Amino acid sequence: GLPYVGGGMTAEFDGGDRKMSGHISAIDISTGDIKWRHETKFPNWAGCLTTAGGLVFSGDLEGKFMAFDAKTGEVIWDFQTGSGVYAPPITYTVDGVQYIAIASGAVKYEEVNVRNGDTLYVFALFDEGK
């Protein structure tokens, strides 16, 4: 009956205030070195998706869905979904166009000031050179 999200979650208490945080990290599997890290205000529950074009997609509990440069970790695009992103993004192709889909759903943390609700967003990726 307990949720398992593939990781741990902790909260720090500083003067009676609860502090939570999370991050998305790129790790070189041959050395274990952290290549880049993106800090978030709350623990991350969304998964990550990497494309062959060098993008990493993920979301956070504040409702932001982001595209990172896979090499540098720079956020190169973001979209406010209006509710927490708990789900992993997926990708698929139709008629030669690649799409990225993400589900955004109800937030469970009282500290996160975004609306409740469930929405599926789908974005098309286009090659700017064509």
Side-chain angles (χ1 to χ4, degrees):
L2 296 175
Y4 177 73
V5 295
M9 181 170 38
T10 60
E12 296 178 21
F13 293 90
D14 181 18
D17 293 331
R18 179 174 57 177
K19 290 182 174 180
M20 302 181 93
S21 65
H23 59 86
I24 299 167
S25 298
I27 301 170
D28 183 330
I29 61 168
S30 64
T31 64
D33 294 339
I34 296 175
K35 295 301 184 182
W36 57 262
R37 174 172 280 175
H38 175 80
E39 301 287 335
T40 58
K41 186 175 177 181
F42 298 97
N44 282 43
W45 285 50
C48 292
L49 170 80
T50 305
T51 68
L55 299 175
V56 176
F57 288 91
S58 190
D60 65 24
L61 293 184
E62 293 185 287
K64 190 181 285 187
F65 184 53
M66 300 162 279
F68 300 89
D69 180 295
K71 290 184 180 178
T72 67
E74 175 188 359
V75 177
I76 57 175
W77 174 86
D78 66 69
F79 177 82
Q80 179 50 251
T81 67
S83 190
V85 178
Y86 288 85
I90 64 163
T91 186
Y92 59 93
T93 303
V94 176
D95 295 331
V97 177
Q98 184 176 8
Y99 296 89
I100 305 292
I102 188 68
S104 175
V107 173
K108 304 290 188 232
Y109 292 106
E110 59 198 40
E111 297 92 342
V112 182
N113 187 22
V114 293
R115 69 173 171 80
N116 289 331
D118 299 319
T119 307
L120 176 66
Y121 292 95
V122 180
F123 303 93
L125 298 181
F126 296 100
D127 183 353
E128 292 182 3
K130 292 184 178 180

